[in-house]
Amino acid sequence: MPMPTSRTRAAPTNAIYAQSGGVTAVINASAAGVIEAARRSRRIGKLLAGRNGIVGVLEEDLIDTSRESDAAIAALRNMPGGAFGSCRFKLGSLEKNRAQYERLLAVFKAHGVGMFFYNGGGDSADTCLKIAQLGEALGYPLQAIHVPKTIDNDLPRTDTCPGFGSVAKYVAISTREASMDVRSMASTSTRVFVLEVMGRHAGWIAAAAALASDRKLPIPLVLLLPEVPFDTARFLAAVQARVQAHGYCTVVASEGAQTADGKFLADQGTTDAFGHAQLGGVAPLIASLVKRELALKVHWATADYLQRSARHIASATDLEQSYAVGKAAVALALQGRNAVMPTIERVRQRPYTWRIGEAPLQEVANVERKMPREFIDATGFGITPAARGYLAPLIQGEPKTPFEDGLPAYPRLKHVAVKRRLPAFSAAGKPTPA
Amino acid sequence: MPMPTSRTRAAPTNAIYAQSGGVTAVINASAAGVIEAARRSRRIGKLLAGRNGIVGVLEEDLIDTSRESDAAIAALRNMPGGAFGSCRFKLGSLEKNRAQYERLLAVFKAHGVGMFFYNGGGDSADTCLKIAQLGEALGYPLQAIHVPKTIDNDLPRTDTCPGFGSVAKYVAISTREASMDVRSMASTSTRVFVLEVMGRHAGWIAAAAALASDRKLPIPLVLLLPEVPFDTARFLAAVQARVQAHGYCTVVASEGAQTADGKFLADQGTTDAFGHAQLGGVAPLIASLVKRELALKVHWATADYLQRSARHIASATDLEQSYAVGKAAVALALQGRNAVMPTIERVRQRPYTWRIGEAPLQEVANVERKMPREFIDATGFGITPAARGYLAPLIQGEPKTPFEDGLPAYPRLKHVAVKRRLPAFSAAGKPTPA
């Protein structure tokens, strides 16, 4: 084992927390969980945060979270976005990018860091695993714990992914509300409403829209899931049938909706009047198709970041789970674990109960959980009772959110920078191009 | 005065309520106000509702609101959309469409209706006035009272329009939340977020986005208002300056954003790969422009119906005012008024207090209130302190909203139809084409 440098003669008891990838409405609840658990522990020294995720760690741009008040940390539960900044930055393979991994370990050493908490999705779990492996290979005493987070709900080994329940709730509520609107306009005006939601590879988010409709309040819905090849004629027939039966129809389209040849509907070459390429979108495409082929008035919306930042209507269940995985990550580290991720285990369906589990990162990294085929109904435009049973508990509960002057109030963080101890290093490859 | 028919020998003590035009998140609070006040009055017999607005009145498709429970009527306060159906249907001039106006009076007579409450915007105010005038001309004892409602905030004589405060709150909250998201992604990913909001003729709604930013939480915003001609170079310079200073920028674009020649940006001829016209949108256009000219990663959202149906985050102030104008409309009728509209009067700015006023429809019909020039700052991309002072009180307060299974709960109305007494009549011209 290499000797610690003079600056870090003590055992590495400090820790680093970093946020990674697309943020969620509740990722900061995980940050609060990590920070509060670390504060309560006697064995963790300082908890530092990477400014803008792993990029800040690479560039030794660290935030001293001990300078934030307990109240500010508690209030992180209410704040969307990434409180310390996130990033889209892939470290890539150990072979090709060894210098970056070694830089990470150099930063850990320089700041006496023995625990690394990485809050992200599938790619980040892989990075976290590689960091753990390199630490072991170099004999540096490091525990790398992954804190799960992704609205895509595609991490394996966990019943659900923190962040998903809130976007699911947002989409279900928005679908219900907008459907009430179009229903009341349909006799003389809009008959079809199209809502585009996230989900490039899986239809989890679009599937959650189905929760908007239940026996008490049936809504004529058509879901467009990436798992079901888009067929123009079948789609138009489904819309028309619903309009005939109910007077209106709400279409919820996954951004990843695609034709049988795997081509995304959104990538079909939209151009403006001057021939410039225009950033596509499934919703305007579907809306135009319905208007042209069925001669019905259509409105469309694209929720984009609104859906994943809507902390004001987060799921209380999701919020609690996001906090819990943060707290559990610290507990796992204190138990001596390495290269693991706390998971959510479903104990009972009705009434829904859950507990925290644990999965080795070896079984998480590079494994994408798809929506099971048995969650999609025979028409391909809806979900099964099994899917409903899975999804329904995840959107339960409305957390109390503090408001000030009619708007959600957020903590003001000080973001006090930690003094640099190493030569400058540029995280090459940043920024990721559009 | 013509003799009442045998069916309506009694004085016309019944009333009709109808919803008109684009609905709002709180229009049903006005319905609750009208119905509850009518129930408490001893002088109003039955309150009927037009199914799908004035179209239902023309076609004698009426709903007997007395068959709905008190609890269901109270719960209308929580329900977005139009609970009895709305319509986009313009009666037009008395000269050209006299048959329709006479049919309305025939329906009133047949059902003993002496009061008509019309819940809508500027066009509806004009219709309501014409109905009042025709009643007078024909000697039919009718009181026509307009209940103001429009998210466009463009009715004169009232400080604000019921429905506007809630969409303003939705837009301010969404802008704040999404800005927290893009702020945390900006170091390596999205730098500009574009949100398209409603407002074809005036920038009231886009202006409300500015409330998202305050001294405690400054957000680098660029507003695109219809009142300020869009200039590509100036816009791009404004975005670039904000990205340089803050790392990111949020653009909130009015759907009515237009160039100096009065051409809507949204109507600039978008086509798909097959040359089909695609329903436009300001947000994708602006996003493409920023990406192309500034080479920055951009995300965009189009809120569309989500913004005007978001009852879950309605403004408590707006909700109270919407209820109050409904209640006041009945009070005005009981005081013998005709061809008037209850208004909101601002009594004090800080702390904000308001009261109900009254305006003659003669002064409301066909008058559009624009956003005053002194509400737009010198750059044209932001609002002045005067605008902030006007807007801020309107988004105050978060009404308690009942949830069930993680979703907003709505009343189930029975919608019991009133027996028809007249020959069939088709409301020609419906449906309005897309």
Side-chain angles (χ1 to χ4, degrees):
Chain A
M1 181 178 156
M3 285 297 292
T5 69
S6 60
R7 285 189 204 86
T8 58
R9 200 154 288 155
T13 58
N14 293 334
I16 284 184
Y17 166 79
Q19 302 181 321
S20 179
V23 291
T24 78
V26 293
I27 184 175
N28 297 323
S30 293
V34 169
I35 298 170
E36 290 182 355
R39 284 186 180 189
R40 277 193 291 270
S41 144
R42 304 244 168 110
R43 285 160 50 203
I44 296 177
K46 280 208 170 174
L47 179 67
L48 313 177
R51 194 189 305 272
N52 301 318
I54 200 75
V55 169
V57 186
L58 282 166
E59 298 189 342
E60 207 195 356
D61 189 358
L62 302 170
I63 294 164
D64 183 354
T65 71
S66 72
R67 303 291 290 274
E68 313 291 351
S69 70
D70 284 348
I73 297 305
L76 285 179
R77 291 170 65 109
N78 310 321
M79 184 187 184
F84 302 104
S86 185
C87 62
R88 293 222 180 264
F89 185 84
K90 217 174 163 170
L91 271 82
S93 70
L94 247 173
E95 298 71 41
K96 286 194 184 162
N97 300 274
R98 196 176 174 93
Q100 289 186 331
Y101 288 91
E102 288 177 345
R103 167 70 177 190
L104 288 177
L105 283 193
V107 172
F108 293 163
K109 280 185 196 172
H111 294 274
V113 169
M115 290 174 184
F116 175 58
F117 300 103
Y118 204 26
N119 200 172
D123 283 349
S124 316
D126 183 58
T127 301
C128 192
L129 175 60
K130 288 193 179 110
I131 292 172
Q133 289 167 335
L134 190 68
E136 270 175 39
L138 300 182
Y140 180 78
L142 179 73
Q143 293 169 273
I145 314 282
H146 191 249
V147 186
K149 165 245 66 165
T150 170
I151 62 162
D152 294 333
N153 206 37
D154 61 356
L155 288 170
R157 292 296 310 271
T158 182
D159 179 67
T160 184
C161 300
F164 170 67
S166 292
V167 73
K169 187 180 183 97
Y170 174 91
V171 167
I173 291 176
S174 297
T175 299
R176 179 173 283 194
E177 289 179 333
S179 296
M180 291 304 95
D181 188 313
V182 63
R183 182 176 76 163
S184 62
M185 300 305 296
S187 84
T188 52
S189 179
T190 306
R191 287 185 173 268
V192 179
F193 176 70
V194 183
L195 172 63
E196 175 175 339
V197 301
M198 286 178 157
R200 192 89 176 154
H201 303 294
W204 290 110
I205 296 174
L211 298 176
S213 175
D214 57 25
R215 245 169 261 163
K216 271 192 189 169
L217 182 72
I219 295 171
L221 281 175
V222 171
L223 307 184
L224 295 179
L225 308 168
E227 289 86 352
V228 182
F230 181 77
D231 177 308
T232 305
R234 285 193 64 243
F235 165 69
L236 291 171
V239 171
Q240 192 150 41
R242 283 159 182 76
V243 169
Q244 267 160 11
H246 303 274
Y248 77 105
C249 175
T250 300
V251 179
V252 179
S254 214
E255 62 177 334
Q258 51 195 272
T259 43
D261 56 3
K263 209 178 156 193
F264 288 119
L265 295 184
D267 292 347
Q268 59 106 55
T270 307
T271 50
D272 68 17
F274 309 100
H276 294 308
Q278 184 156 309
L279 295 171
V282 173
L285 180 94
I286 293 293
S288 301
L289 180 69
V290 169
K291 185 188 169 190
R292 192 170 64 239
E293 300 296 330
L294 301 180
L296 296 171
K297 184 168 177 185
V298 188
H299 262 253
W300 60 270
T302 299
D304 196 64
Y305 279 3
L306 303 192
Q307 73 201 283
R308 73 178 206 194
S309 62
R311 171 59 188 81
H312 76 271
I313 195 57
S315 152
T317 302
D318 186 32
L319 186 70
E320 282 320 308
Q321 293 178 339
S322 297
Y323 180 80
V325 292
K327 205 174 126 192
V330 172
L332 287 170
L334 292 172
Q335 289 160 34
R337 297 287 206 292
N338 187 18
V340 294
M341 172 182 96
T343 60
I344 308 293
E345 290 180 0
R346 186 175 302 225
V347 179
R348 274 180 70 174
Q349 183 91 311
R350 281 179 90 88
Y352 175 64
T353 54
W354 56 276
R355 68 176 169 229
I356 291 291
E358 174 188 346
L361 287 186
Q362 287 280 13
E363 295 176 20
V364 174
N366 301 316
V367 183
E368 203 179 60
R369 182 176 64 157
K370 291 268 179 193
M371 191 156 70
R373 190 63 187 81
E374 64 266 26
F375 275 16
I376 303 172
D377 75 12
T379 68
F381 296 126
I383 63 170
T384 59
R388 184 174 284 272
Y390 168 77
L391 291 167
L394 307 181
I395 68 162
Q396 299 301 311
E398 296 70 46
K400 182 126 186 67
T401 305
F403 275 72
E404 222 176 274
D405 288 332
L407 290 163
Y410 305 139
R412 302 183 75 179
L413 297 182
K414 294 189 190 117
H415 279 188
V416 176
V418 176
K419 215 181 150 191
R420 285 190 164 85
R421 296 171 178 180
L422 294 173
F425 182 95
S426 169
K430 110 176 191 199
T432 308
Chain B
M1 183 177 155
M3 284 298 291
T5 70
S6 61
R7 285 188 204 87
T8 59
R9 200 157 287 154
T13 58
N14 292 334
I16 285 185
Y17 166 79
Q19 302 181 321
S20 179
V23 292
T24 78
V26 293
I27 184 174
N28 296 322
S30 293
V34 168
I35 298 170
E36 291 182 353
R39 285 185 178 188
R40 276 193 292 269
S41 144
R42 305 240 169 110
R43 285 161 48 204
I44 296 177
K46 280 209 171 176
L47 179 66
L48 313 176
R51 195 189 303 272
N52 300 318
I54 200 78
V55 169
V57 185
L58 280 167
E59 299 189 343
E60 207 195 356
D61 190 358
L62 301 170
I63 294 163
D64 184 353
T65 72
S66 74
R67 303 293 290 273
E68 312 291 350
S69 70
D70 283 348
I73 298 304
L76 285 179
R77 292 171 64 109
N78 311 320
M79 184 187 187
F84 302 103
S86 185
C87 63
R88 291 216 181 267
F89 185 84
K90 219 176 161 168
L91 270 83
S93 69
L94 248 172
E95 297 72 40
K96 285 193 186 163
N97 300 275
R98 195 175 174 95
Q100 289 186 330
Y101 288 90
E102 288 178 347
R103 167 72 176 188
L104 289 177
L105 283 193
V107 172
F108 293 163
K109 278 185 198 174
H111 293 274
V113 169
M115 292 175 184
F116 175 58
F117 301 102
Y118 204 29
N119 200 173
D123 283 349
S124 317
D126 183 55
T127 301
C128 193
L129 175 60
K130 287 193 181 112
I131 292 173
Q133 289 168 337
L134 190 67
E136 270 176 40
L138 299 183
Y140 180 77
L142 179 74
Q143 294 169 271
I145 314 282
H146 192 248
V147 187
K149 165 245 64 167
T150 171
I151 61 162
D152 294 333
N153 206 36
D154 61 356
L155 288 170
R157 293 295 310 270
T158 182
D159 179 67
T160 184
C161 300
F164 171 68
S166 293
V167 72
K169 186 179 182 98
Y170 174 92
V171 167
I173 290 176
S174 298
T175 299
R176 179 174 281 194
E177 290 179 333
S179 296
M180 291 303 95
D181 188 313
V182 63
R183 183 176 76 164
S184 62
M185 301 304 296
S187 83
T188 53
S189 180
T190 306
R191 287 183 173 268
V192 178
F193 177 70
V194 183
L195 172 63
E196 174 175 340
V197 300
M198 287 179 156
R200 192 88 175 153
H201 302 295
W204 290 110
I205 296 174
L211 298 176
S213 174
D214 56 25
R215 245 170 259 161
K216 271 190 186 171
L217 183 72
I219 295 171
L221 280 176
V222 171
L223 307 184
L224 295 179
L225 308 168
E227 290 86 351
V228 182
F230 181 77
D231 177 308
T232 305
R234 285 194 64 243
F235 165 70
L236 291 171
V239 171
Q240 192 151 41
R242 283 159 182 77
V243 170
Q244 268 161 9
H246 303 274
Y248 78 105
C249 175
T250 299
V251 178
V252 179
S254 213
E255 62 176 335
Q258 50 196 274
T259 42
D261 56 4
K263 210 179 155 195
F264 287 120
L265 295 183
D267 292 346
Q268 59 105 56
T270 308
T271 51
D272 68 16
F274 308 100
H276 294 309
Q278 183 155 308
L279 294 171
V282 173
L285 180 95
I286 293 293
S288 301
L289 180 70
V290 168
K291 186 189 169 189
R292 191 169 65 238
E293 300 296 330
L294 301 180
L296 296 171
K297 184 167 176 186
V298 188
H299 262 253
W300 60 269
T302 299
D304 195 63
Y305 280 3
L306 303 192
Q307 71 201 284
R308 72 178 206 192
S309 61
R311 172 58 188 82
H312 76 272
I313 195 58
S315 152
T317 301
D318 186 33
L319 186 71
E320 282 319 308
Q321 292 177 341
S322 297
Y323 180 79
V325 292
K327 204 173 127 193
V330 173
L332 286 170
L334 292 172
Q335 288 161 34
R337 296 287 207 290
N338 187 18
V340 294
M341 173 182 97
T343 60
I344 308 293
E345 291 180 357
R346 187 175 299 227
V347 179
R348 273 179 73 173
Q349 183 90 312
R350 283 180 89 89
Y352 174 64
T353 55
W354 56 276
R355 68 175 170 230
I356 292 289
E358 175 189 348
L361 288 185
Q362 287 280 14
E363 295 176 20
V364 174
N366 301 315
V367 182
E368 203 179 62
R369 183 177 64 158
K370 292 268 178 191
M371 191 157 69
R373 192 62 188 82
E374 64 265 27
F375 275 16
I376 304 171
D377 75 11
T379 69
F381 296 126
I383 63 169
T384 58
R388 183 174 284 271
Y390 167 76
L391 291 166
L394 306 180
I395 68 164
Q396 299 301 312
E398 296 71 47
K400 182 124 188 66
T401 305
F403 275 72
E404 222 175 273
D405 289 332
L407 290 163
Y410 305 139
R412 300 184 77 179
L413 297 183
K414 295 190 190 116
H415 279 188
V416 176
V418 176
K419 214 181 150 192
R420 285 189 164 85
R421 298 174 177 177
L422 293 174
F425 182 95
S426 169
K430 107 174 197 205
T432 308

